[in-house]
Amino acid sequence: MDLLNKKCIFGAIKMYFMFSLSEENYLKAIFHLQNSYKNGVSTNALAEEMQTKASSVTDMIKRLSEKSLVNYKKYQGVKLSEAGRAAAIEVIRKHRLWEVFLVEKLNFNWDEVHEVAEQLEHIKSEKLTAELDRFLGFPQRDPHGDPIPDSEGNFSVPNRVLLSELKMDETGICVGVKDSSTEFLQYLDKNNISLGATVKVKQKEDFDQSMLIEMNDNELMISNQISANLYIKTT
Amino acid sequence: MDLLNKKCIFGAIKMYFMFSLSEENYLKAIFHLQNSYKNGVSTNALAEEMQTKASSVTDMIKRLSEKSLVNYKKYQGVKLSEAGRAAAIEVIRKHRLWEVFLVEKLNFNWDEVHEVAEQLEHIKSEKLTAELDRFLGFPQRDPHGDPIPDSEGNFSVPNRVLLSELKMDETGICVGVKDSSTEFLQYLDKNNISLGATVKVKQKEDFDQSMLIEMNDNELMISNQISANLYIKTT
DNA sequence: TCCATTTTTTAGTCTTGTCTAAATATATTT
DNA sequence: AAATATATTTAGACAAGACTAAAAAATGGA
Ligand SMILES: [Mn+2]
Ligand SMILES: [Mn+2]
Ligand SMILES: [Mn+2]
Ligand SMILES: [Mn+2]
């Protein structure tokens, strides 16, 4: 092993905790997919998520497995180890903190932050992350309503449901988006749907699940594709 | 040419202005070395600056030359093209803006910012750079007194001399450091030498150029190694 | 159970950026 | 002008991370 010979801006000491940009992205993707793939994330799912080929995924999984960041048995899918989970959460923490920074301090709209945060999340400096967190006032949620892990990796799983699950006449507060794509967020902006606003389901169509909602004294008809991507805290 | 096939977070449009982390670091290094190597930066000088081998430098120079970022003839050293110079200045602009951010907003000391800025300078987002600049109030100098290029790449070459060039009884204001290493900056902190302070040369030793200076009602003996790394604006 | 389809892995190639060792060009002495 | 020393380039190898094509394993009917 010549791990210690690798160049590292922090010197040799922290070597074992440092991962490449690509490794970090895979860890993050596995973390997110583990919600849907409880007993092992499949190679194809990971390839889809990473916008790459299954063979590339297999290669990377082997490397991550070699470093004990994932548990992997051939053809059995992959799961994060404790170390892998911790590394993934650290990257997610940075991603979301930077998103808050971009929106709160640099006049970015919530639909513009993701791709820049994808770059910033890989900056390596414990002090930077800690100070950024403090500078932002230890935010609990990112601009899309997702929880921000603290420096220990702890975060509260938000108590929320999808708007599509609400029944007629139920109300709640819009607290997050499931889809953070530019397209979806721009649709929401255009239709005055924003986090923090109160929603009421005025009508619900059995056939296609489309619903008429009320928001800020405004009525709006939305399809299931929309309501299934909005998180609501019921009141 | 399959430039357009490369993955790029901005899509294909900006391809021709995007360079790899390594390419950017080489461009920056050449830019800095051009001050001392007016008629071409030598391979060895570049290898020394980049902490790598001469053969690796030759390889990279060929790639940069292929992309018209440098002008290169075998054995003749290398010079930045206009495009290469512009790219280098853009990276330096980002580096210095981030250094200001770290010191002004995130409680970093001026001896801690460099290695983090080395990472942040490669983040690609025009909006991010522009907004960071605005957020910081369009600073003219970084924490080490170096000029920050504006969005057009223009910067004022500061009117300053080295403290070592001052004669007995001359005074000035300390406006920058030539060496930004942690070690040097910590020495300065320890001895209460900071940018903005007034200096007076009280004595100068002909033999070794060491000098006795006065700063904030304090007298201090410094060697030539120190005085040759402090920039002074004479008053 | 056996066949067909899908999923996953392997084998071999490519690019970027690095390295060592060897060859060649330039510079400095004598 | 040689001879020597130094600087630079070439040749060949390697690692990370991607790809394509082909092989092998798992899965889901009939
Ligand atoms: Mn995001
Ligand atoms: Mn987000
Ligand atoms: Mn710096
Ligand atoms: Mn600086």
Side-chain angles (χ1 to χ4, degrees), chain B residues 95-96 99-100 110 113-114 117 142-146 177 180:
Chain B
H95 182 106
R96 292 179 181 167
E99 286 191 343
V100 173
W110 67 340
V113 298
H114 185 73
D142 84 358
H144 313 102
D146 291 313
V177 294
S180 309

Side-chain angles (χ1 to χ4, degrees), chain A residues 163-209:
Chain A
L163 175 53
S164 55
E165 288 164 26
L166 290 202
K167 297 188 189 70
M168 177 106 158
D169 285 327
E170 287 187 312
T171 65
I173 297 168
C174 187
V175 294
V177 293
K178 193 173 176 193
D179 174 1
S180 310
S181 72
T182 306
E183 298 72 35
F184 183 57
L185 298 177
Q186 282 177 358
Y187 168 88
L188 298 182
D189 281 345
K190 202 173 60 195
N191 291 284
N192 257 298
I193 298 173
S194 58
L195 301 199
T198 298
V199 212
K200 179 173 184 175
V201 180
K202 305 271 283 188
Q203 282 175 37
K204 202 168 175 185
E205 186 61 56
D206 276 343
F207 177 62
D208 66 353
Q209 309 288 59

Side-chain angles (χ1 to χ4, degrees), chain B residues 43-44 55 58 62 72 74-75:
Chain B
T43 304
N44 267 359
S55 55
T58 303
K62 284 177 180 169
Y72 169 63
K74 274 187 192 176
Y75 299 98

Side-chain angles (χ1 to χ4, degrees), chain A residues 26-47 50 57-66 68-81 84:
Chain A
Y26 272 92
L27 292 174
K28 206 172 38 138
I30 298 167
F31 180 87
H32 285 130
L33 288 170
Q34 275 186 341
N35 293 323
S36 336
Y37 294 77
K38 300 285 180 191
N39 33 350
V41 176
S42 75
T43 304
N44 268 358
L46 204 37
M50 293 293 297
V57 170
T58 304
D59 285 349
M60 178 56 91
I61 285 175
K62 283 176 179 169
R63 279 193 291 271
L64 294 176
S65 181
E66 197 59 44
S68 299
L69 293 168
V70 298
N71 298 118
Y72 169 63
K73 263 178 284 178
K74 275 189 192 177
Y75 298 98
Q76 301 303 119
V78 75
K79 286 181 197 179
L80 290 177
S81 69

Side-chain angles (χ1 to χ4, degrees), chain A residues 21 24-25 28 91-103 105-124 128 132 142-144 180-182 185, chain B residues 8-11 14 18 94 98 101 119-132:
Chain A
L21 184 145
E24 289 187 345
N25 284 335
K28 206 172 38 138
V91 176
I92 290 165
R93 166 171 157 80
K94 290 191 279 181
H95 182 104
R96 293 179 180 166
L97 283 173
W98 282 115
E99 286 191 343
V100 173
F101 172 70
L102 295 172
V103 167
K105 308 291 182 180
L106 298 196
N107 300 329
F108 275 62
N109 197 284
W110 68 340
D111 68 317
E112 302 176 301
V113 298
H114 186 73
E115 67 175 38
V116 183
E118 283 293 311
Q119 299 176 64
L120 287 162
E121 71 189 4
H122 303 290
I123 303 292
K124 269 121 185 127
L128 174 60
L132 182 64
D142 85 357
H144 313 102
S180 310
S181 72
T182 306
L185 298 177
Chain B
C8 169
I9 55 167
F10 299 105
K14 299 199 72 192
M18 301 225 352
K94 290 191 280 180
W98 282 115
F101 172 70
Q119 298 177 66
L120 287 162
E121 70 189 4
H122 302 290
I123 304 292
K124 270 122 185 128
S125 165
E126 263 184 45
K127 173 157 184 160
L128 174 60
T129 310
E131 288 292 333
L132 181 64

